[in-house]
Amino acid sequence: MFSKVKSPETWNFDSVSFFETRTEETVSEFCPTMEIPIFTVDAFTNVPFKGNPAAVCLIENELQDDIYQNIAAEMNLSDTAFIIKRKSMDFTSGARFGLRWFTPKSEYPLCGHATLASAAVLFDLKKNVNPVVVFETMSGELNVRQHEEYLIMDFPLNKPKPQDQHEIKELLKAAVGDLPIQDVCYSPAIKNLMIRLADTCNRSDLMSLRPEAETLVRNETTGKIKSLIVTLKGTQTTQSGYDFYSRVFSPWVGVPEDPVTGSAHTVLAAYWSEKLEKKKMMAYQCSTRGGELKLEMRDDGRLDIIGQARIILQGTLRI
């Protein structure tokens, strides 16, 4: 029934291809050639497993773009941030760094939660001695400073423009179903479409949305939209104190739903500040993980996004 197994003494190792002598080049393929410090940080929260997780890598010298993209795909979080050292300054004494953000599919022009996470690594872990760090990014220079337990990010405002609903009616249907819509706006700067639900809707309506990623992508193929924001005015009858709520869907860049999105709030703050006639606002993003953002309109036309972050993992990436 069973074939007889030969004893080890009779094995012919010379005939087994698996044990063929490997060249130095072949062996080197399996050996790490670079070690990169890497961290996972939960942004816009002060407790683990809430807010939006971002991976943060400390880069001594610029890498090729495909390496950045491969790392982001490997981490498979909504964003991976790469802090790039400038000149001879280290991560503790330097005040200016390069910063790039990659989703699992592509590089992104602006990311709030991964910027907050990057600043947390520099200030909390590397004990950066400067009161302000400056990140050089695709969206210009972004300053981040500490204030007590909070980090304050100086971000651009991206005021959205009214969008013709008829042109994208199928996309709107895929996003919010039959819920009534009050406004639809678009920010060309970061390719965000914003849908404001009617004030007759409530937070439960917003949280009940389950748009299918494939359907959203199928109904928008022009490349003009990278993220879709659904927002709702806060109610005065609750004790939450939130001026508005939101959710953000980004299947076009490989993120079905982003837990907490700083960049989307550069659009939301510009919109709601005008509608509510307020310069200071509290916002809550109603994802499963959830996150809170403090927003302050600056006199110079920019926006302070204020939040907390928690470093939950640190290690070494070998590539």
Side-chain angles (χ1 to χ4, degrees):
M1 182 180 294
F2 298 101
S3 60
K4 185 177 180 180
V5 179
K6 294 182 179 179
S7 65
E9 292 81 1
T10 64
W11 291 356
N12 182 3
F13 286 95
D14 291 335
S15 65
V16 182
S17 60
F18 181 80
F19 292 101
E20 288 178 352
T21 302
R22 295 188 178 273
T23 65
E24 182 178 343
E25 291 76 16
T26 304
V27 173
S28 68
E29 293 175 7
F30 302 93
C31 297
T33 58
M34 185 188 311
E35 293 190 345
I36 298 173
I38 189 165
F39 312 88
T40 300
V41 185
D42 289 342
F44 295 115
T45 182
N46 62 351
V47 295
F49 316 125
K50 294 291 184 181
N52 198 351
V56 178
C57 296
L58 299 179
I59 306 297
E60 294 283 341
N61 300 292
E62 278 277 14
L63 305 176
Q64 295 178 352
D65 285 1
D66 63 328
I67 298 179
Y68 292 127
Q69 189 61 71
N70 286 336
I71 293 173
E74 183 77 8
M75 299 311 298
N76 200 32
L77 295 173
S78 57
D79 282 276
T80 297
F82 299 91
I83 308 174
I84 304 157
K85 195 169 72 173
R86 290 290 188 246
K87 299 181 180 178
S88 60
M89 304 297 284
D90 60 27
F91 293 104
T92 299
S93 59
R96 181 176 290 270
F97 303 92
L99 183 62
R100 298 177 71 176
W101 311 281
F102 285 76
T103 76
K105 283 191 174 181
S106 62
E107 186 167 14
Y108 210 67
L110 182 65
C111 181
H113 84 278
T115 303
L116 193 74
S118 298
V121 169
L122 292 178
F123 284 126
D124 298 343
L125 206 62
K126 305 305 289 185
K127 305 301 180 185
N128 193 284
V129 298
N130 297 284
V132 179
V133 293
V134 181
F135 293 120
E136 300 169 357
T137 78
M138 289 176 64
S139 294
E141 292 187 353
L142 305 178
N143 299 342
V144 185
R145 65 188 188 275
Q146 286 183 299
H147 180 68
E148 298 176 348
E149 71 269 28
Y150 290 92
L151 294 167
I152 304 174
M153 302 186 295
D154 173 3
F155 264 42
L157 267 178
N158 291 303
K159 185 176 180 179
K161 301 175 181 179
Q163 168 71 42
D164 184 354
Q165 297 186 31
H166 182 74
E167 294 179 358
I168 53 170
K169 61 180 181 180
E170 294 303 323
L171 178 61
L172 298 179
K173 178 75 172 179
V176 301
D178 295 325
L179 290 179
I181 294 172
Q182 183 153 331
D183 273 337
V184 178
C185 300
Y186 176 69
S187 170
I190 57 173
K191 297 184 177 181
N192 277 198
L193 181 73
M194 190 204 81
I195 304 170
R196 175 186 173 182
L197 298 178
D199 293 346
T200 54
C201 297
N202 57 38
R203 180 173 170 175
S204 296
D205 294 321
L206 177 60
M207 295 182 68
S208 70
L209 293 176
R210 298 290 185 271
E212 295 183 357
E214 297 81 2
T215 306
L216 293 177
V217 172
R218 187 169 62 250
N219 281 285
E220 162 45 41
T221 58
T222 66
K224 293 181 178 179
I225 297 174
K226 297 297 184 184
S227 291
L228 188 149
I229 307 165
V230 184
T231 187
L232 176 71
K233 183 180 178 181
T235 57
Q236 302 300 317
T237 57
T238 65
Q239 300 300 313
S240 67
Y242 297 121
D243 293 289
F244 62 88
Y245 301 101
S246 67
R247 290 177 68 188
V248 178
F249 306 95
S250 307
W252 298 275
V253 294
V255 183
E257 180 171 7
D258 200 27
V260 193
T261 318
S263 60
H265 283 78
T266 66
V267 178
L268 289 163
Y271 176 86
W272 283 113
S273 176
E274 184 176 292
K275 297 298 181 183
L276 300 175
E277 299 181 341
K278 298 181 71 172
K279 286 196 170 185
K280 294 183 178 182
M281 294 169 287
M282 285 286 292
Y284 188 80
Q285 193 159 328
C286 302
S287 65
T288 302
R289 293 174 64 104
E292 180 180 277
L293 305 90
K294 297 181 180 181
L295 308 167
E296 294 187 8
M297 307 290 284
R298 296 164 56 101
D299 292 336
D300 61 2
R302 292 174 65 84
L303 173 70
D304 278 346
I305 302 178
I306 305 164
Q308 295 175 283
R310 181 78 175 266
I311 300 169
I312 64 166
L313 181 148
Q314 58 180 330
T316 302
L317 181 67
R318 295 185 175 93
I319 58 175

